Coordinates of all heavy atoms in Angstrom, one line a residue:
M53 N 55.0 104.1 52.7 CA 55.4 105.2 51.9 C 55.9 106.3 52.9 O 55.3 107.0 53.6 CB 54.1 105.9 51.2 CG 54.6 107.0 50.2 SD 53.1 107.4 49.2 CE 53.8 108.9 48.5
T54 N 57.3 106.5 52.7 CA 57.9 107.4 53.5 C 58.5 108.6 52.7 O 58.9 108.5 51.5 CB 59.1 106.8 54.3 OG1 60.1 106.3 53.2 CG2 58.6 105.8 55.2
A55 N 58.3 109.8 53.1 CA 58.8 110.9 52.4 C 60.1 111.4 52.9 O 60.2 111.6 54.1 CB 57.7 112.1 52.7
P56 N 61.0 111.4 52.1 CA 62.4 111.9 52.4 C 62.4 113.3 53.0 O 61.7 114.2 52.4 CB 63.3 111.8 51.2 CG 62.2 111.8 50.1 CD 61.0 111.2 50.6
S57 N 63.1 113.6 54.0 CA 62.9 114.9 54.7 C 64.2 115.4 54.9 O 64.3 116.5 55.5 CB 62.1 114.9 55.9 OG 62.8 113.8 56.9
D58 N 65.3 114.8 54.6 CA 66.6 115.3 54.9 C 67.4 115.7 53.8 O 68.7 115.8 53.8 CB 67.5 114.2 55.8 CG 67.6 113.0 54.9 OD1 66.9 112.9 53.9 OD2 68.5 112.1 55.2
Y59 N 66.8 116.2 52.7 CA 67.5 116.8 51.7 C 66.7 117.9 51.1 O 65.4 117.7 51.0 CB 68.0 115.7 50.7 CG 67.0 115.1 49.8 CD1 66.5 115.6 48.6 CD2 66.3 113.9 50.3 CE1 65.5 115.0 47.9 CE2 65.4 113.4 49.7 CZ 64.9 113.9 48.5 OH 64.0 113.2 47.7
P60 N 67.3 118.9 50.4 CA 66.4 120.0 49.8 C 65.6 119.4 48.7 O 66.2 119.2 47.5 CB 67.6 121.0 49.3 CG 68.8 120.6 50.0 CD 68.7 119.1 50.2
S61 N 64.4 119.1 48.8 CA 63.5 118.7 47.7 C 62.5 119.7 47.3 O 61.9 119.5 46.2 CB 62.8 117.5 48.2 OG 62.1 117.6 49.3
Q62 N 62.3 120.7 48.1 CA 61.2 121.6 47.8 C 61.9 122.7 46.9 O 62.9 123.1 46.9 CB 60.6 122.3 49.0 CG 60.2 121.3 50.0 CD 60.0 121.8 51.4 OE1 60.1 123.1 51.7 NE2 59.9 121.0 52.3
P63 N 61.0 123.2 45.9 CA 61.4 124.4 45.1 C 62.1 125.5 46.0 O 62.9 126.2 45.6 CB 60.3 124.8 44.5 CG 59.3 123.6 44.4 CD 59.7 122.8 45.7
D64 N 61.3 125.7 47.1 CA 61.7 126.7 48.1 C 63.3 126.5 48.6 O 63.9 127.4 48.6 CB 60.8 126.4 49.4 CG 60.8 127.5 50.3 OD1 61.0 128.8 49.8 OD2 60.6 127.4 51.5
C65 N 63.6 125.3 48.7 CA 65.0 124.9 49.1 C 66.0 125.3 47.9 O 67.0 125.9 48.1 CB 65.2 123.4 49.4 SG 64.4 123.1 51.0
R66 N 65.6 125.0 46.7 CA 66.5 125.2 45.6 C 66.7 126.5 45.4 O 67.8 127.2 45.1 CB 65.9 124.6 44.2 CG 66.0 123.0 44.3 CD 65.3 122.4 43.1 NE 65.6 123.0 41.8 CZ 65.2 122.8 40.7 NH1 64.2 121.9 40.6 NH2 65.6 123.5 39.7
D67 N 65.6 127.4 45.6 CA 65.7 128.8 45.6 C 66.7 129.3 46.7 O 67.4 130.3 46.4 CB 64.4 129.4 45.7 CG 64.3 131.0 45.5 OD1 64.9 131.4 44.4 OD2 63.8 131.6 46.3
A68 N 66.5 128.8 47.8 CA 67.3 129.2 49.1 C 68.7 129.0 48.6 O 69.6 129.7 48.9 CB 66.9 128.5 50.2
L69 N 69.1 127.7 48.2 CA 70.5 127.5 48.1 C 71.1 128.3 46.9 O 72.3 128.7 47.1 CB 70.5 126.0 47.4 CG 70.3 125.0 48.5 CD1 70.3 123.5 47.9 CD2 71.4 125.0 49.5
E70 N 70.3 128.7 45.9 CA 70.8 129.6 44.9 C 71.1 131.0 45.5 O 72.1 131.6 45.2 CB 69.8 129.7 43.8 CG 70.0 128.6 42.8 CD 68.9 128.7 41.8 OE1 68.5 129.9 41.3 OE2 68.5 127.6 41.3
T71 N 70.2 131.4 46.4 CA 70.3 132.7 47.0 C 71.4 132.7 48.0 O 71.9 133.8 48.3 CB 69.0 133.1 47.7 OG1 67.9 132.7 46.8 CG2 68.9 134.6 48.1
L72 N 71.8 131.6 48.5 CA 72.9 131.5 49.5 C 74.2 132.3 49.0 O 74.9 133.0 49.6 CB 73.3 130.1 49.8 CG 72.4 129.4 50.8 CD1 72.9 128.0 50.9 CD2 72.4 130.2 52.1
Y73 N 74.5 132.1 47.7 CA 75.6 132.7 47.0 C 75.6 134.2 47.1 O 76.5 134.9 47.5 CB 75.7 132.3 45.6 CG 76.3 131.1 45.5 CD1 75.4 129.9 45.3 CD2 77.7 130.8 45.5 CE1 76.0 128.6 45.4 CE2 78.2 129.5 45.5 CZ 77.3 128.5 45.4 OH 77.8 127.2 45.4
H74 N 74.3 134.9 46.9 CA 74.2 136.3 47.0 C 74.3 136.7 48.5 O 75.0 137.7 48.9 CB 72.9 136.7 46.4 CG 72.8 136.4 45.0 ND1 73.6 136.9 44.0 CD2 72.1 135.4 44.4 CE1 73.3 136.4 42.8 NE2 72.5 135.3 43.1
Y75 N 73.8 135.8 49.4 CA 73.8 136.1 50.7 C 75.2 136.2 51.2 O 75.7 137.2 52.0 CB 73.1 135.0 51.4 CG 73.0 135.1 52.9 CD1 71.8 135.7 53.5 CD2 74.0 134.6 53.8 CE1 71.7 135.9 54.9 CE2 73.9 134.8 55.2 CZ 72.8 135.4 55.7 OH 72.7 135.5 57.0
L76 N 76.1 135.2 50.9 CA 77.4 135.1 51.3 C 78.2 136.3 50.6 O 79.3 136.7 51.3 CB 78.0 133.7 50.8 CG 77.5 132.6 51.6 CD1 77.9 131.3 51.0 CD2 77.9 132.6 53.0
D77 N 77.8 136.7 49.4 CA 78.5 137.7 48.7 C 78.1 139.1 49.3 O 78.7 140.1 48.8 CB 78.4 137.7 47.3 CG 79.3 136.6 46.7 OD1 80.3 136.3 47.3 OD2 79.1 136.2 45.6
G78 N 77.1 139.1 50.1 CA 76.6 140.3 50.6 C 75.9 141.2 49.5 O 75.8 142.4 49.6
E79 N 75.4 140.5 48.5 CA 74.8 141.1 47.4 C 73.2 141.2 47.6 O 72.6 141.6 46.7 CB 75.0 140.4 46.2 CG 76.4 140.5 45.6 CD 76.8 139.6 44.5 OE1 75.8 139.0 44.1 OE2 77.9 139.7 44.1
L80 N 72.8 140.8 48.8 CA 71.3 140.7 49.0 C 70.8 142.0 49.7 O 71.5 142.6 50.5 CB 70.9 139.5 49.8 CG 70.9 138.2 49.2 CD1 70.5 137.1 50.1 CD2 70.0 138.2 48.0
T81 N 69.5 142.2 49.5 CA 68.9 143.3 50.3 C 68.8 142.7 51.6 O 68.7 141.5 51.9 CB 67.6 143.8 49.7 OG1 66.7 142.7 49.7 CG2 67.7 144.3 48.3
D82 N 68.4 143.6 52.7 CA 68.1 143.1 53.9 C 66.9 142.3 54.1 O 66.9 141.4 54.8 CB 68.0 144.5 55.0 CG 69.2 145.1 55.3 OD1 70.3 144.5 55.0 OD2 69.3 146.3 55.8
G83 N 65.9 142.7 53.3 CA 64.6 141.9 53.3 C 64.9 140.4 52.8 O 64.4 139.5 53.5
R84 N 65.6 140.3 51.8 CA 65.9 139.0 51.3 C 66.8 138.3 52.3 O 66.7 137.0 52.3 CB 66.6 139.2 50.0 CG 66.6 138.0 49.0 CD 65.4 137.8 48.4 NE 65.4 136.7 47.3 CZ 64.8 135.6 47.5 NH1 64.0 135.3 48.5 NH2 65.0 134.6 46.5
R85 N 67.7 139.0 52.8 CA 68.5 138.3 53.8 C 67.7 137.7 55.0 O 68.1 136.6 55.3 CB 69.5 139.3 54.4 CG 70.8 138.9 54.6 CD 71.6 140.1 55.1 NE 72.1 140.9 53.9 CZ 73.4 141.1 53.7 NH1 74.3 140.5 54.4 NH2 73.8 141.9 52.9
Q86 N 66.8 138.4 55.2 CA 65.9 137.9 56.5 C 65.1 136.6 55.9 O 65.1 135.7 56.7 CB 64.8 139.0 56.9 CG 65.6 140.1 57.7 CD 66.2 139.6 58.9 OE1 65.7 138.8 59.6 NE2 67.4 140.1 59.2
E87 N 64.7 136.7 54.8 CA 63.9 135.6 54.1 C 64.9 134.3 54.3 O 64.5 133.1 54.6 CB 63.6 135.8 52.8 CG 62.3 136.6 52.7 CD 62.1 136.9 51.1 OE1 62.2 136.1 50.3 OE2 61.6 138.1 50.9
I88 N 66.1 134.4 53.8 CA 67.0 133.3 53.9 C 67.4 132.8 55.3 O 67.3 131.6 55.6 CB 68.2 133.6 53.1 CG1 68.1 134.1 51.6 CG2 69.4 132.6 53.2 CD1 67.5 132.8 50.8
K89 N 67.4 133.8 56.1 CA 67.8 133.4 57.5 C 66.5 132.6 58.1 O 66.8 131.5 58.7 CB 67.9 134.7 58.4 CG 69.3 135.0 58.7 CD 69.5 136.1 59.7 CE 69.6 135.5 61.1 NZ 70.0 136.6 62.0
H90 N 65.4 132.9 57.8 CA 64.2 132.3 58.3 C 64.3 130.9 57.7 O 63.8 129.9 58.3 CB 62.9 133.0 58.0 CG 62.8 134.2 58.9 ND1 62.8 134.2 60.3 CD2 62.5 135.6 58.6 CE1 62.6 135.4 60.7 NE2 62.4 136.2 59.7
H91 N 64.5 130.9 56.4 CA 64.4 129.6 55.8 C 65.5 128.7 56.5 O 65.2 127.5 56.7 CB 64.6 129.6 54.2 CG 64.7 128.2 53.6 ND1 63.4 127.8 53.1 CD2 65.5 127.4 53.3 CE1 63.6 126.6 52.5 NE2 64.9 126.2 52.7
L92 N 66.7 129.1 56.7 CA 67.7 128.3 57.2 C 67.3 127.9 58.6 O 67.8 126.7 59.1 CB 69.2 129.1 57.3 CG 69.7 129.5 56.0 CD1 70.9 130.4 56.0 CD2 70.1 128.1 55.2
E93 N 66.7 128.6 59.3 CA 66.3 128.3 60.7 C 65.4 127.2 60.8 O 65.4 126.4 61.9 CB 65.7 129.5 61.5 CG 66.8 130.5 61.9 CD 66.2 131.9 62.4 OE1 64.9 131.9 62.3 OE2 67.0 132.8 62.5
R94 N 64.6 126.9 59.8 CA 63.7 125.8 59.8 C 64.0 124.7 58.8 O 63.2 123.7 58.6 CB 62.2 126.2 59.7 CG 62.0 127.0 58.3 CD 60.6 127.7 58.2 NE 60.5 128.5 57.2 CZ 60.2 128.2 56.0 NH1 60.1 127.0 55.5 NH2 60.1 129.0 54.9
C95 N 65.2 124.8 58.1 CA 65.5 123.9 57.1 C 66.9 123.5 57.3 O 67.8 124.2 56.8 CB 65.3 124.6 55.7 SG 65.3 123.2 54.4
S96 N 67.1 122.2 57.9 CA 68.5 121.9 58.3 C 69.3 121.5 57.0 O 70.5 121.8 57.0 CB 68.5 120.8 59.2 OG 67.7 119.5 58.8
P97 N 68.7 121.1 56.0 CA 69.7 120.6 54.7 C 70.2 122.0 54.2 O 71.3 121.9 53.8 CB 68.6 120.0 53.7 CG 67.6 119.5 54.6 CD 67.3 120.3 55.8
C98 N 69.4 123.0 54.1 CA 69.9 124.3 53.6 C 70.9 124.8 54.5 O 72.0 125.5 54.1 CB 68.7 125.1 53.3 SG 67.7 124.9 51.9
L99 N 70.6 124.6 55.7 CA 71.6 125.2 56.8 C 72.9 124.5 56.7 O 74.0 125.1 56.8 CB 70.9 125.0 58.3 CG 71.8 125.5 59.4 CD1 72.0 127.0 59.2 CD2 71.3 125.2 60.7
E100 N 73.0 123.2 56.3 CA 74.2 122.5 56.2 C 74.9 123.1 55.0 O 76.2 123.2 55.0 CB 73.9 120.9 56.1 CG 73.7 120.2 57.4 CD 73.2 119.0 57.3 OE1 73.5 118.3 56.3 OE2 72.5 118.5 58.3
A101 N 74.1 123.3 53.9 CA 74.8 123.8 52.8 C 75.3 125.1 53.0 O 76.4 125.5 52.6 CB 73.8 123.8 51.6
F102 N 74.5 125.9 53.8 CA 75.1 127.3 54.0 C 76.4 127.3 54.9 O 77.5 127.9 54.5 CB 73.9 128.1 54.9 CG 74.4 129.4 55.3 CD1 74.4 130.4 54.4 CD2 75.0 129.5 56.6 CE1 74.9 131.7 54.8 CE2 75.3 130.8 57.0 CZ 75.3 132.0 56.1
D103 N 76.4 126.3 55.9 CA 77.6 126.2 56.6 C 78.7 125.8 55.8 O 79.9 126.3 55.9 CB 77.4 125.2 57.8 CG 76.7 125.7 58.9 OD1 76.5 126.9 59.0 OD2 76.1 124.9 59.7
F104 N 78.5 124.8 54.9 CA 79.6 124.4 53.9 C 80.1 125.5 53.1 O 81.3 125.7 53.1 CB 79.1 123.3 53.0 CG 79.9 122.8 51.9 CD1 81.1 122.1 52.1 CD2 79.5 123.2 50.7 CE1 81.8 121.8 51.0 CE2 80.3 123.0 49.6 CZ 81.5 122.2 49.8
E105 N 79.2 126.3 52.5 CA 79.7 127.3 51.7 C 80.3 128.5 52.4 O 81.3 129.1 51.9 CB 78.5 127.7 50.9 CG 78.0 126.8 50.0 CD 76.8 127.4 48.9 OE1 77.1 128.7 48.7 OE2 76.1 126.7 48.5
A106 N 79.8 128.7 53.5 CA 80.4 129.9 54.4 C 81.8 129.6 54.7 O 82.7 130.3 54.7 CB 79.5 130.1 55.6
E107 N 82.0 128.1 55.0 CA 83.4 127.7 55.4 C 84.2 127.8 54.1 O 85.4 128.2 54.3 CB 83.3 126.3 56.0 CG 84.2 125.9 57.0 CD 83.8 124.7 57.7 OE1 82.7 124.5 58.3 OE2 84.6 123.7 57.5
L108 N 83.7 127.2 53.1 CA 84.5 127.3 51.9 C 84.9 128.7 51.4 O 86.1 129.0 51.2 CB 83.6 126.7 50.7 CG 84.3 126.7 49.4 CD1 85.3 125.5 49.4 CD2 83.2 126.3 48.3
K109 N 83.9 129.6 51.6 CA 84.3 131.0 51.3 C 85.3 131.6 52.2 O 86.3 132.3 51.7 CB 83.1 131.9 51.3 CG 82.1 131.6 50.2 CD 81.2 132.7 49.8 CE 82.0 134.0 49.3 NZ 81.3 134.8 48.6
M110 N 85.3 131.2 53.4 CA 86.3 131.7 54.5 C 87.8 131.2 54.0 O 88.7 132.0 54.0 CB 86.0 131.4 55.8 CG 85.1 132.3 56.5 SD 85.0 131.9 58.3 CE 83.7 130.8 58.3
V111 N 87.7 129.9 53.6 CA 89.0 129.3 53.2 C 89.6 130.0 52.0 O 90.7 130.4 52.0 CB 88.9 127.8 52.9 CG1 90.1 127.3 52.3 CG2 88.5 127.1 54.2
I112 N 88.6 130.2 51.0 CA 89.0 131.0 49.8 C 89.5 132.3 50.1 O 90.6 132.8 49.6 CB 87.9 130.9 48.8 CG1 87.6 129.5 48.4 CG2 88.2 131.8 47.6 CD1 86.3 129.4 47.5
A113 N 88.8 133.0 50.9 CA 89.0 134.4 51.3 C 90.5 134.5 51.9 O 91.3 135.4 51.6 CB 88.1 135.0 52.2
R114 N 90.8 133.5 52.7 CA 92.2 133.5 53.5 C 93.2 133.3 52.3 O 94.3 133.9 52.5 CB 92.0 132.4 54.3 CG 92.7 132.7 55.7 CD 92.5 131.6 56.7 NE 91.3 131.6 57.4 CZ 90.5 130.6 57.9 NH1 91.1 129.5 57.7 NH2 89.4 130.7 58.5
H115 N 93.0 132.5 51.3 CA 94.0 132.2 50.5 C 94.0 133.4 49.2 O 95.2 133.7 48.9 CB 93.8 130.8 49.8 CG 94.2 129.8 50.6 ND1 95.4 129.4 51.0 CD2 93.3 128.9 51.4 CE1 95.5 128.4 51.8 NE2 94.2 128.1 52.1
C116 N 93.0 133.8 48.9 CA 93.0 134.7 47.7 C 92.8 136.2 48.1 O 93.2 137.0 47.4 CB 91.7 134.2 46.9 SG 91.9 132.6 46.3
R117 N 92.2 136.4 49.4 CA 91.9 137.8 49.7 C 91.1 138.5 48.6 O 91.5 139.6 48.3 CB 93.1 138.5 50.2 CG 93.7 137.9 51.4 CD 95.0 138.6 51.7 NE 94.8 140.0 52.0 CZ 95.6 141.0 51.7 NH1 96.6 140.8 50.9 NH2 95.3 142.2 52.0
D118 N 90.3 137.8 48.0 CA 89.6 138.3 46.7 C 88.2 137.6 46.7 O 87.9 136.8 47.4 CB 90.4 137.9 45.6 CG 90.0 139.0 44.5 OD1 89.2 139.8 44.6 OD2 90.9 138.9 43.5
R119 N 87.4 138.2 45.8 CA 86.1 137.5 45.5 C 86.3 136.1 44.9 O 87.3 135.9 44.4 CB 85.4 138.4 44.3 CG 84.8 139.6 45.0 CD 84.1 140.4 44.0 NE 83.1 139.7 43.4 CZ 81.8 139.8 43.8 NH1 81.4 140.3 44.9 NH2 81.0 139.0 43.2
V120 N 85.4 135.2 45.2 CA 85.3 133.9 44.6 C 85.2 133.9 43.2 O 84.4 134.6 42.7 CB 84.3 133.0 45.3 CG1 84.4 131.6 44.7 CG2 84.3 133.1 46.8
P121 N 86.2 133.4 42.4 CA 86.1 133.3 41.0 C 84.9 132.6 40.6 O 84.5 131.7 41.1 CB 87.4 132.6 40.6 CG 88.3 132.5 41.8 CD 87.4 132.6 42.9
D122 N 84.4 133.1 39.4 CA 83.1 132.6 38.9 C 83.2 131.1 38.5 O 82.2 130.4 38.8 CB 82.8 133.4 37.7 CG 82.1 134.7 37.9 OD1 81.8 134.9 39.1 OD2 81.9 135.5 37.0
H123 N 84.3 130.6 38.1 CA 84.4 129.3 37.6 C 84.4 128.3 38.9 O 83.9 127.3 38.9 CB 85.7 128.9 36.8 CG 86.8 129.1 37.6 ND1 87.6 130.2 37.7 CD2 87.6 128.2 38.3 CE1 88.7 130.0 38.4 NE2 88.7 128.7 38.9
L124 N 85.0 128.9 40.0 CA 84.9 128.1 41.3 C 83.5 128.1 41.8 O 82.9 127.1 42.4 CB 85.8 128.8 42.3 CG 86.0 128.0 43.5 CD1 86.4 126.6 43.3 CD2 87.0 128.7 44.5
R125 N 82.8 129.2 41.7 CA 81.4 129.3 42.2 C 80.5 128.2 41.4 O 79.8 127.6 42.0 CB 80.8 130.6 41.8 CG 80.8 131.5 43.1 CD 79.8 132.7 42.8 NE 80.7 133.9 42.5 CZ 80.3 135.0 42.8 NH1 79.1 135.2 43.4 NH2 81.1 136.1 42.7
V126 N 80.8 128.3 40.1 CA 80.0 127.3 39.3 C 80.3 125.8 39.8 O 79.4 125.0 39.9 CB 80.3 127.4 37.8 CG1 79.7 126.4 37.0 CG2 79.9 128.7 37.4
R127 N 81.5 125.6 40.1 CA 81.9 124.2 40.4 C 81.1 123.9 41.8 O 80.7 122.8 42.0 CB 83.4 124.1 40.7 CG 84.0 124.0 39.4 CD 85.6 123.8 39.6 NE 85.9 122.6 40.4 CZ 87.1 122.1 40.4 NH1 88.1 122.6 39.9 NH2 87.3 120.9 41.1
V128 N 81.0 124.9 42.8 CA 80.4 124.6 44.0 C 78.9 124.3 43.8 O 78.3 123.4 44.3 CB 80.7 125.7 45.0 CG1 79.9 125.5 46.3 CG2 82.2 125.8 45.4
V129 N 78.3 125.2 42.9 CA 76.9 124.9 42.7 C 76.7 123.6 42.1 O 75.7 122.9 42.5 CB 76.3 126.0 41.7 CG1 74.9 125.8 41.3 CG2 76.6 127.5 42.3
M130 N 77.6 123.3 41.2 CA 77.3 121.7 40.5 C 77.5 120.8 41.6 O 76.8 119.9 41.6 CB 78.4 121.7 39.4 CG 78.3 122.7 38.3 SD 77.2 122.4 37.1 CE 78.0 121.3 36.1
A131 N 78.4 121.0 42.5 CA 78.8 120.0 43.6 C 77.5 119.9 44.4 O 77.1 118.8 44.7 CB 80.0 120.4 44.3
L132 N 76.9 121.1 44.7 CA 75.8 120.9 45.6 C 74.6 120.2 44.9 O 73.9 119.4 45.5 CB 75.4 122.3 46.1 CG 76.4 123.0 47.2 CD1 76.0 124.4 47.4 CD2 76.1 122.1 48.5
A133 N 74.3 120.7 43.7 CA 73.4 120.1 42.9 C 73.6 118.5 42.8 O 72.5 117.7 43.0 CB 73.2 120.7 41.5
E134 N 74.8 118.2 42.6 CA 75.1 116.7 42.4 C 74.8 116.1 43.7 O 74.2 115.0 43.7 CB 76.5 116.5 42.0 CG 77.0 115.0 41.8 CD 76.3 114.6 40.4 OE1 75.8 115.4 39.6 OE2 76.0 113.4 40.2
A135 N 75.2 116.6 44.7 CA 75.0 116.0 46.1 C 73.6 115.7 46.4 O 73.1 114.6 46.9 CB 75.6 117.0 47.1
S136 N 72.6 116.7 46.1 CA 71.3 116.5 46.4 C 70.7 115.5 45.4 O 69.7 114.9 45.8 CB 70.6 117.8 46.4 OG 71.0 118.8 45.7
R137 N 71.2 115.5 44.2 CA 70.6 114.5 43.3 C 71.0 113.2 43.6 O 70.2 112.2 43.8 CB 71.2 114.9 41.8 CG 70.4 114.1 40.8 CD 70.7 114.6 39.4 NE 72.1 114.9 39.0 CZ 72.6 116.1 38.6 NH1 71.8 117.0 38.5 NH2 73.8 116.3 38.4
Q138 N 72.2 112.9 44.1 CA 72.6 111.5 44.5 C 71.7 111.1 45.8 O 71.3 110.0 45.8 CB 74.0 111.6 44.9 CG 74.8 111.5 43.6 CD 76.4 111.6 43.9 OE1 76.7 111.8 45.0 NE2 77.3 111.6 42.9
E139 N 71.5 112.2 46.8 CA 70.7 111.9 48.0 C 69.3 111.5 47.5 O 68.8 110.6 48.1 CB 70.8 113.1 49.0 CG 72.1 113.0 49.6 CD 72.0 113.9 50.9 OE1 70.8 114.0 51.5 OE2 72.9 114.5 51.3
S140 N 68.8 112.1 46.6 CA 67.4 111.9 46.2 C 67.2 110.6 45.5 O 66.3 109.8 45.5 CB 66.9 112.9 45.2 OG 67.5 113.1 44.1
Q141 N 68.4 110.1 44.8 CA 68.3 108.8 44.2 C 68.5 107.6 45.2 O 67.8 106.5 45.0 CB 69.4 108.7 43.1 CG 69.2 109.5 41.8 CD 70.2 109.6 41.0 OE1 71.3 109.1 41.2 NE2 70.0 110.1 39.8
S142 N 69.2 107.9 46.2 CA 69.4 106.8 47.2 C 68.2 106.5 48.0 O 68.1 105.6 48.7 CB 70.6 107.1 48.0 OG 70.3 108.1 49.0
G143 N 67.2 107.4 48.0 CA 66.2 107.4 48.9 C 65.1 106.2 48.5 O 64.4 106.0 47.8
Ligands
ZN102 ZN1 65.7 124.4 52.5

């Protein structure tokens, strides 16, 4: 019996991934920001998701010089959720 350890499976992680959006948007308080930072430091799946989103936002910012549209945000959230769901099924 092996426990999968390389994808966000804990409620903690799902919460962290959702909070990433606010983190990237700068909508978090300093305290919340620290919490996310600590989680990312010890949770590589979330860190990878963070890197992905940070990169995506930079690309979008370069093209749009504006906030990420809500519909695009939703698509990214769905894509991330889908990715973790597929990974959890393959285990
Ligand atoms: Zn995590």
Side-chain angles (χ1 to χ4, degrees):
M53 181 169 173
T54 55
S57 59
D58 59 346
Y59 68 90
S61 58
Q62 305 160 14
D64 202 26
C65 289
R66 289 175 49 184
D67 185 52
L69 285 174
E70 279 174 32
T71 313
L72 279 178
Y73 280 96
H74 303 291
Y75 182 94
L76 289 169
D77 279 342
E79 289 172 0
L80 287 182
T81 62
D82 284 346
R84 198 75 170 114
R85 219 178 278 244
Q86 286 300 318
E87 279 178 37
I88 295 299
K89 256 188 95 169
H90 285 310
H91 185 88
L92 290 175
E93 277 166 12
R94 59 186 166 82
C95 189
S96 55
C98 284
L99 182 61
E100 280 170 29
F102 177 79
D103 282 345
F104 167 74
E105 293 191 32
E107 214 167 293
L108 181 72
K109 285 203 70 154
M110 270 192 273
V111 172
I112 291 168
R114 221 171 277 151
H115 285 285
C116 304
R117 296 178 58 222
D118 206 349
R119 285 174 61 87
V120 181
D122 282 346
H123 71 270
L124 183 56
R125 255 197 258 214
V126 170
R127 285 185 59 173
V128 176
V129 173
M130 302 275 279
L132 284 171
E134 186 66 29
S136 28
R137 192 159 48 231
Q138 280 172 1
E139 279 197 33
S140 68
Q141 280 171 357
S142 72

